[in-house]
Amino acid sequence: MTTAVLKVDRLCKFFGGVRAVNDLSFEVRQGEILGLIGPNGSGKSTTVNALAGIYPVTSGEILLAGGHIQGLPEYERVAMGLARTFQTASIFPEFTVREQVTLGCNATLQSHPLSSVFGIGRHPGEDEAVAARVADILEITALDAVADAPVGTITAAQQRFLMIATALASEPKVILLDEPAAGLVSHERRTLIDLIVAIRDKGISVLVIEHHMALIMEVCDRIVVLNFGSMIAEGTPEEIRNDKAVIDAYLGEAA
Ligand code: ADP
Ligand code: MG
């Protein structure tokens, strides 16, 4: 039996006359990596932004662990277990990698988010638990070697992994990744693949948008394909690779 962690039901998002997402239904199941692919402009980022609560949807429903979340602000969705990565690297470039992830963890606790950085207003027992969680996150995101480096000094790829680490710090049920491999070179993509699998193996579901087809085909359990805002196919990587509608949609794109 598979249960849906995140369910999208008849979602529409129109920008004026542009039907960016049109009557889209799919689910992200417990413990799976779901790929969302499609040609440029097919509605992938709009879908992720609608899920995250960046803007209101035109119609349709979004359910997280069975509860309706459409209409809730972004921070409430995060608190309920929906995490996404952000473009901006860090508010405090002088903070270390460890401090940045610790801040993300503390956002979910009772203490003030800055308490373990500044050592004030702590709740008993939280510090060790947070330190262990941070160490675990730094290890799976391959950031343990730069844990004590200021965020402003790490490489662009490490900044990318730090964004995923910060998203993991909120203890999500599902994590949304919009083009996480953009700008990464081959060995960094390998680290990213290992990381996405490690996240899934921790029981966190992953929704990943990515242009890099080899990565998608290797890492995803299932794939949903969009074209002009609607789903044109859904299946395993093998099924998607051989799907006529998918091949036709991509033939229009420079391969
Ligand atoms: P993808 O991520 O698949 O490349 P997008 O979701 O970014 O596609 O875009 C889908 C469609 O919606 C495109 O036609 C795009 O121009 C349009 N669109 C996206 N965001 C906006 C916006 N904020 N305002 C107006 N149109 C938008
Ligand atoms: Mg996009």
Side-chain angles (χ1 to χ4, degrees), residues 236-255:
T236 63
E238 199 50 40
E239 288 165 348
I240 294 304
R241 207 192 303 272
N242 299 307
D243 189 285
K244 176 145 190 332
V246 176
I247 295 165
D248 287 348
Y250 275 96
L251 281 179
E253 284 219 321

Side-chain angles (χ1 to χ4, degrees), residues 38-46 49 178-179 209 211:
N40 264 327
S42 57
K44 305 180 296 293
S45 292
T46 302
N49 290 338
D178 192 351
E179 302 201 16
I209 293 180
H211 273 300

Side-chain angles (χ1 to χ4, degrees), residues 13-16 18-21 37-49 55 178-179 209 211 226 228-229:
K13 177 62 186 176
F14 304 159
F15 296 103
V18 179
R19 298 180 171 223
V21 175
I37 67 170
N40 264 327
S42 57
K44 305 180 296 293
S45 292
T46 302
T47 300
V48 163
N49 290 338
Y55 35 55
D178 192 351
E179 302 201 16
I209 293 180
H211 273 300
L226 298 185
F228 298 111

